[in-house]
Amino acid sequence: MRTLKYAILGLVNRKSMTGYDISKEFGEELINFWSAKHSQIYPELKKLVDEGLLEYKIEITGDVLEKKVYTVTEKGRQDFLEWLAKDEKIEPTPKDQFRLRSYFSQALEPAIYQKLLESQLDQRKKKLAKLNRLFLQYQQVPPFGSDKFGDYSVLAGARIREEANIKWLELCLEAVRAEIKE
Amino acid sequence: MRTLKYAILGLVNRKSMTGYDISKEFGEELINFWSAKHSQIYPELKKLVDEGLLEYKIEITGDVLEKKVYTVTEKGRQDFLEWLAKDEKIEPTPKDQFRLRSYFSQALEPAIYQKLLESQLDQRKKKLAKLNRLFLQYQQVPPFGSDKFGDYSVLAGARIREEANIKWLELCLEAVRAEIKE
DNA sequence: ACAAAACATGTAATTTCAAACATGTTTTGT
DNA sequence: ACAAAACATGTTTGAAATTACATGTTTTGT
């Protein structure tokens, strides 16, 4: 489906950027729903240029360091917009290694499974706290159409998702603790 | 990390099965947190036999149809149990194509984005209804240690996750509807 | 008797992705 | 003056995963 293609096109459509910039973006808000290493990004950029969806011009930083600053072509913008408006079927449930462990947990000592759950819960709570800190910057919902709406929306989604993870872990913990007490 | 290896080992540890059976399992409860196509399963089974973690005996169905019924070896069981008890870091957030679209949604007509959201919401609600129907069979939480606890736990988790997806979509919809009304 | 669905097992080609390899420049802090 | 961190761009290797290719048997429903 070449989703990375559209992620890149979407980013460059908002603002001209280098491969390095794109790589950094994948480490920030985008981490909540997409990511790619630079070893995947650079070849994809080359491909997009070959396909006429992106162009670049070289800028010099300092004395000699070359930066390739990418811009979308009209063709690229059209391709992106077409993808963006597509009404797709919901994706299959994402894989989750800890849930796989949970599925097999009856093969484990309850006390061990409890430890695993507590460790997960601790990490999830820290992650949620981080998301909550980021969320503070929004006093209210930014209007749709402002460049902040997307950021807000996916951040709100990440919080809700993390809250659900925590809710589930707490439900499991309760069941295991009830078992141990008996 | 070879998670498929442990998914297969875990399944076969519970009960001897064929590659075809494993394939079917990935289409049922397991779909909520893991899956694999038969083209990935058969080579993995071969590898696990080579590594001495699984054994099989051939059974004949009808006149000539050969079935390979797999069983875990003691070594395989140990390997699985070791993996199962491992306390791991939470995984990076799963990729989500619709959230990527949402992130770029300001490039879209509000009415179009609204349609996309409504479509997602509709599909998510249907999925939740299905999970709820499955959930009915549990009058109460099965005791940990019973073979039903794992099933219950991941099903409960899938419901909670789906509820969160819906909550997020409704939040987005509300914001977009507010925009359109103005 | 026949067809369709389900059972059953594999391989080949391609895509996606992460980790490691590879090389250098520029800025910032001390 | 020096070192570390950040900037900047690539390639190579291999694992994980999907799609398509490939072939056949058995059961079920009509």
Side-chain angles (χ1 to χ4, degrees):
Chain A
M1 218 167 302
R2 290 191 64 195
T3 309
L4 179 59
K5 166 182 159 180
Y6 297 105
I8 291 177
L9 246 27
L11 286 171
V12 179
N13 180 51
R14 299 213 294 196
K15 183 161 149 290
S16 291
M17 39 193 348
T18 65
Y20 189 82
D21 294 332
I22 292 168
S23 198
K24 266 198 307 178
E25 290 282 341
F26 280 126
E28 292 164 30
E29 306 109 310
L30 269 82
I31 198 77
N32 289 310
F33 50 91
W34 210 265
S35 75
K37 309 284 177 188
H38 77 278
S39 58
Q40 206 187 349
I41 294 166
Y42 288 115
E44 187 65 34
L45 283 169
K46 189 183 258 180
K47 205 171 171 188
L48 292 171
V49 170
D50 288 347
E51 293 171 332
L53 307 175
L54 286 184
E55 295 172 329
Y56 67 89
K57 49 173 191 281
I58 290 173
E59 282 182 12
I60 305 290
T61 303
D63 288 326
V64 289
L65 188 62
E66 294 190 346
K67 274 203 299 192
K68 290 185 179 172
V69 182
Y70 290 88
T71 316
V72 279
T73 62
E74 184 49 31
K75 193 177 160 197
R77 222 182 74 89
Q78 287 309 319
D79 198 342
F80 167 67
L81 254 23
E82 202 177 287
W83 168 81
L84 190 61
K86 222 179 275 174
D87 181 13
E88 302 232 51
K89 266 198 280 190
I90 55 172
E91 289 170 273
T93 317
K95 294 183 177 183
D96 185 324
Q97 210 180 132
F98 187 75
R99 285 173 201 242
L100 180 63
R101 271 200 178 78
S102 282
Y103 186 64
F104 293 128
S105 59
Q106 86 289 342
L108 225 45
E109 291 290 321
I112 304 279
Y113 183 47
Q114 190 191 344
K115 279 262 162 55
L116 297 184
L117 284 167
E118 281 165 353
S119 165
Q120 291 284 311
L121 190 56
D122 182 57
Q123 293 177 69
R124 292 282 172 198
K125 279 182 172 171
K126 275 175 188 150
K127 193 167 173 183
L128 179 60
K130 211 168 172 180
L131 292 170
N132 280 335
R133 275 196 299 280
L134 286 172
F135 201 68
L136 282 178
Q137 65 185 291
Y138 298 100
Q139 253 73 21
Q140 77 258 314
V141 183
F144 180 84
S146 83
D147 57 343
K148 282 285 162 235
F149 182 80
D151 300 43
Y152 169 85
S153 151
V154 295
L155 183 56
R159 278 175 83 218
I160 293 170
R161 179 167 51 192
E162 214 49 56
E163 280 164 3
N165 279 326
I166 288 170
K167 189 177 164 190
W168 174 65
L169 289 169
E170 280 173 342
L171 180 139
C172 293
L173 249 183
E174 210 180 302
V176 177
R177 281 187 181 136
E179 178 76 12
I180 290 177
K181 233 180 278 173
E182 274 166 32
Chain B
M1 218 168 302
R2 290 191 65 194
T3 309
L4 178 60
K5 167 182 160 181
Y6 298 106
I8 291 177
L9 247 27
L11 285 171
V12 179
N13 180 50
R14 301 213 293 196
K15 184 160 148 292
S16 292
M17 40 194 347
T18 66
Y20 189 81
D21 294 331
I22 292 168
S23 197
K24 266 198 307 178
E25 289 282 341
F26 280 127
E28 291 165 29
E29 306 109 310
L30 270 81
I31 198 76
N32 289 310
F33 50 90
W34 210 265
S35 74
K37 309 283 177 185
H38 77 277
S39 58
Q40 204 187 350
I41 294 167
Y42 288 115
E44 187 65 34
L45 283 169
K46 189 182 259 180
K47 204 171 172 188
L48 292 171
V49 171
D50 288 347
E51 294 170 331
L53 307 175
L54 286 183
E55 296 171 329
Y56 67 89
K57 50 174 191 282
I58 289 172
E59 281 182 14
I60 305 291
T61 303
D63 288 326
V64 289
L65 187 61
E66 294 190 346
K67 274 204 297 193
K68 291 186 179 172
V69 182
Y70 290 88
T71 315
V72 279
T73 62
E74 183 49 30
K75 193 177 160 198
R77 223 182 73 88
Q78 287 310 317
D79 197 342
F80 167 67
L81 255 20
E82 203 178 286
W83 168 82
L84 189 60
K86 223 179 275 173
D87 181 13
E88 302 232 50
K89 266 198 283 191
I90 56 172
E91 289 171 90
T93 317
K95 294 184 178 182
D96 186 324
Q97 212 182 129
F98 187 75
R99 285 174 201 243
L100 180 64
R101 271 200 179 78
S102 282
Y103 186 63
F104 293 128
S105 59
Q106 85 290 342
L108 226 44
E109 291 290 322
I112 306 279
Y113 183 47
Q114 191 191 344
K115 280 262 161 55
L116 296 184
L117 284 167
E118 280 164 354
S119 165
Q120 291 284 311
L121 190 56
D122 182 57
Q123 293 177 70
R124 293 281 172 199
K125 279 182 170 170
K126 276 175 188 150
K127 192 167 174 183
L128 179 60
K130 211 168 171 180
L131 292 170
N132 280 335
R133 275 196 300 280
L134 286 171
F135 201 69
L136 282 178
Q137 65 186 289
Y138 298 100
Q139 253 74 19
Q140 76 257 316
V141 183
F144 180 84
S146 83
D147 57 343
K148 282 284 161 231
F149 182 79
D151 301 42
Y152 169 83
S153 151
V154 294
L155 183 56
R159 277 175 83 218
I160 293 170
R161 180 167 50 192
E162 215 47 59
E163 281 164 2
N165 280 327
I166 288 169
K167 189 176 165 189
W168 173 65
L169 288 169
E170 279 173 343
L171 181 139
C172 293
L173 250 182
E174 210 180 302
V176 176
R177 282 187 181 138
E179 178 76 12
I180 290 176
K181 233 178 281 173
E182 274 165 31

